[in-house]
């Protein structure tokens, strides 16, 4: 790795929690697409498969911020382990229900239970913030975590789809559950780097981090952005299936993530001057424009190339978003604030996957790429309408905005 990334791991314990976070985040890229692959193989119903994936995402959108708020109050170890056990129990129930052909409503009940899975990415970023708050290394740390996210999305779908198609349909989601258990219990065993809980600050601040107008804009925009991700996943699997190469969907989706990974690595090495808000809006616009070529796809090689280019906008936009969150939420609610972004994405993924599933069933996979194109246009519209709210971070919020002399260095995303 380039030296700025290597320097991150000089802090004691950073290697351990980063490795645990990698394992714990693998289900993020494996579970949803694994359920789509499993159910479509067992039943041939893409509408049902997309609806179940959407249920998982919506349940995570509801439960995720509540779990993270409890983490801010009581600490990661005390909250993450019980929440993970609930999610693992639900995942086991879903696999049994799908395998033995139980009624559809049982599939939805168990899918909702999986939504209790904690936002591991937010937990890891909170640990980095605890180590490097107020220094330029925090930008590098956020960039590194975005790269790790994309590595998960490179290998996760390949593993999940590959196992489910080559071994047995339930194999992908099963391995995802194993990764979640290993990652969470390893992470929570590392107490030295765990951020201190803030039970009193939460009450003094007066409620949820979502009260921040700036965070509201970010979350609303990422609902539309999440719809892009959810639709692209489902439509790509169906597109490859229509052409007789369903297993190739994992490689195509991996290239989507690879584009983001490459951009994130380079972005983390750069140092920008000026405010991050214009770069954030530019990133949202780039993500929207990159969906237009998908409407013209006619074969898998062209689709793979188009998705790789589209992925180049993802990581820089996510890195910028994490820096903006620090400007708009109190330090004692940082984990919750980051999780609200995941919640926005989850709601969007739910909408995108379910709507695209219906479009596929009705008009075919190629028509399904209209869903991410429309979602991108909505994201740009919301970003422009709410841009003014991002220009003025609230006084005393965030872990770094109080140090105005260092703002350009630290909020360089």
């Amino acid at each position: 790795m380039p030296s700025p990334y290597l320097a991150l791991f000089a802090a004691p314990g950073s290697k351990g929690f980063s490795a645990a976070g990698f394992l714990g985040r693998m289900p993020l890229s494996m579970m949803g697409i694994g359920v789509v692959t499993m159910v479509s193989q067992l039943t041939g119903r893409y509408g049902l498969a997309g609806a179940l994936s959407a249920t998982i995402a919506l349940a995570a959108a509801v439960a995720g911020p509540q779990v993270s708020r409890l983490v801010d109050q009581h600490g990661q170890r005390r909250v993450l382990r019980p929440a993970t056990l609930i999610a693992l129990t639900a995942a086991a129930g879903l696999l049994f229900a799908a395998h033995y052909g139980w009624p559809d409503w049982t599939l939805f009940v168990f899918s909702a239970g999986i939504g209790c899975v904690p936002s591991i990415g937010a937990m890891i970023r909170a640990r980095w913030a605890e180590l490097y708050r107020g220094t330029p290394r925090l930008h590098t740390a956020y960039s590194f975590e975005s790269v790790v996210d994309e590595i998960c999305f490179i290998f996760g779908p390949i593993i999940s789809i590959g196992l489910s198609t080559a071994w047995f349909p339930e194999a992908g989601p099963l391995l995802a559950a194993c990764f979640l258990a290993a990652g969470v219990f390893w992470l929570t065993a590392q107490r030295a780097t765990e951020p201190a809980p803030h039970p009193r600050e939460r009450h003094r601040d007066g409620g949820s981090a979502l009260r921040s107008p700036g965070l509201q804009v970010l979350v609303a925009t990422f609902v539309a952005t999440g719809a892009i991700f959810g639709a692209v996943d489902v439509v790509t699997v169906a597109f490859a299936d229509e052409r007789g190469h369903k297993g190739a969907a994992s490689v195509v989706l991996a290239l989507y993530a690879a584009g983001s990974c490459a951009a994130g690595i380079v972005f983390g090495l750069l140092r920008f001057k000026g405010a991050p808000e214009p770069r954030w809006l530019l990133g949202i616009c780039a993500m929207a424009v990159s969906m237009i070529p998908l409407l013209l796809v006619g074969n898998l090689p062209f689709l793979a190339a188009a998705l790789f280019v589209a992925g180049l906008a993802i990581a820089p936009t996510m890195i910028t978003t994490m820096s903006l969150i620090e400007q708009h939420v109190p330090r004692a609610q940082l984990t919750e604030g980051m999780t609200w972004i995941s919640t926005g994405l989850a709601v969007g993924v739910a909408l995108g996957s379910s709507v695209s599933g219906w479009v596929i069933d009705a008009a075919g996979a190629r028509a399904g790429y209209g869903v991410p194109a429309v979602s991108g246009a909505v994201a740009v519209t919301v970003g422009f309408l709410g841009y003014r709210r991002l220009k003025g971070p609230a006084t005393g919020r965030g872990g770094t905005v109080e140090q105005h002399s260092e703002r350009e260095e630290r909020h360089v995303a």
Side-chain angles (χ1 to χ4, degrees):
M1 288 185 291
S3 57
Y5 289 107
L6 287 173
L8 292 175
F9 298 99
S14 56
K15 294 179 182 178
F17 74 69
S18 182
F22 173 74
L23 281 181
R25 268 179 290 184
M26 285 297 287
L28 182 66
S29 63
M30 294 177 64
M31 185 62 75
I33 197 68
V35 169
V36 169
T37 307
M38 175 183 70
V39 174
S40 65
Q41 287 207 160
L42 292 173
T43 69
R45 299 162 62 191
Y46 277 99
L48 175 62
L52 291 174
S53 179
T55 300
I56 294 173
L58 282 174
V62 174
Q66 313 311 318
V67 171
S68 292
R69 188 178 302 172
L70 291 173
V71 167
D72 283 329
Q73 286 186 269
H74 304 292
Q76 293 185 4
R77 181 186 178 91
R78 290 184 60 187
V79 177
L80 296 190
R81 290 188 172 187
T84 300
L85 287 175
I86 294 173
L88 291 174
T89 302
L94 177 62
L95 297 187
F96 276 104
H99 181 78
Y100 291 105
W102 294 359
D104 287 355
W105 69 266
T106 61
L107 300 178
F108 284 99
V109 169
F110 289 126
S111 295
I114 296 174
C116 289
V117 62
S119 177
I120 303 301
M123 307 303 157
I124 301 301
R125 287 178 172 89
R127 294 194 181 214
W128 284 121
E130 197 75 7
L131 288 176
Y132 293 127
R133 181 176 284 113
T135 73
R137 285 187 180 180
L138 187 56
H139 163 66
T140 307
Y142 285 161
S143 300
F144 175 76
E145 290 305 315
S146 290
V147 171
V148 172
D149 285 340
E150 299 311 327
I151 291 174
C152 291
F153 277 94
I154 290 172
F155 293 105
I158 293 176
I159 296 171
S160 189
I161 297 175
L163 287 177
S164 291
T165 55
W167 197 6
F168 57 92
E170 300 86 356
L174 176 61
L175 184 59
C178 293
F179 277 136
L180 175 64
V184 169
F185 283 87
W186 185 12
L187 176 66
T188 53
Q190 302 176 49
R191 305 298 299 276
T193 55
E194 181 179 344
H198 300 276
R200 295 182 180 178
E201 285 84 345
R202 175 183 179 272
H203 294 291
R204 186 177 64 197
D205 187 71
S208 172
L210 195 58
R211 296 181 64 189
S212 163
L215 184 60
Q216 292 169 8
V217 173
L218 295 173
V219 172
T221 305
F222 272 81
V223 170
T225 302
I228 294 175
F229 299 151
V232 166
D233 279 355
V234 174
V235 179
T236 300
V237 173
F239 187 87
D241 191 18
E242 283 185 357
R243 281 146 185 80
H245 301 284
K246 189 172 185 178
S250 60
V251 178
V252 175
L253 291 173
L255 287 172
Y256 188 33
S260 178
C261 182
I265 291 173
V266 174
F267 199 75
L269 299 175
L270 301 178
R271 293 291 178 267
F272 299 101
K273 293 183 179 180
E277 293 86 357
R279 287 190 294 278
W280 176 82
L281 189 58
L282 179 62
I284 295 297
C285 292
M287 292 178 68
V289 171
S290 68
M291 293 296 105
I292 296 175
L294 301 184
L295 299 171
L296 307 175
V297 296
N299 55 63
L300 286 173
F302 181 79
L303 174 62
L307 284 178
F308 178 83
V309 174
L312 296 175
I314 297 175
T317 307
M318 291 300 298
I319 295 164
T320 309
T321 301
M322 293 305 161
S323 292
L324 288 173
I325 290 172
E326 277 210 296
Q327 296 182 16
H328 289 276
V329 301
R331 180 181 300 185
Q333 295 177 304
L334 183 59
T335 305
E336 182 192 347
M338 291 179 175
T339 304
W340 274 113
I341 293 298
S342 299
T343 294
L345 286 171
V347 172
V349 167
L351 294 172
S353 59
S354 58
V355 172
S356 61
W358 296 330
V359 172
I360 292 166
D361 286 342
R366 188 168 180 177
Y369 281 117
V371 177
V374 172
S375 301
V378 173
V380 171
T381 302
V382 174
F384 272 103
L385 290 176
Y387 183 70
R388 284 185 144 188
R389 294 190 177 190
L390 297 176
K391 296 292 288 183
T395 304
R397 289 186 178 270
T400 55
V401 295
E402 295 163 359
Q403 310 266 346
H404 293 286
S405 62
E406 296 179 11
R407 182 177 184 273
E408 287 186 0
E409 281 192 310
R410 293 199 306 276
H411 297 297
V412 291

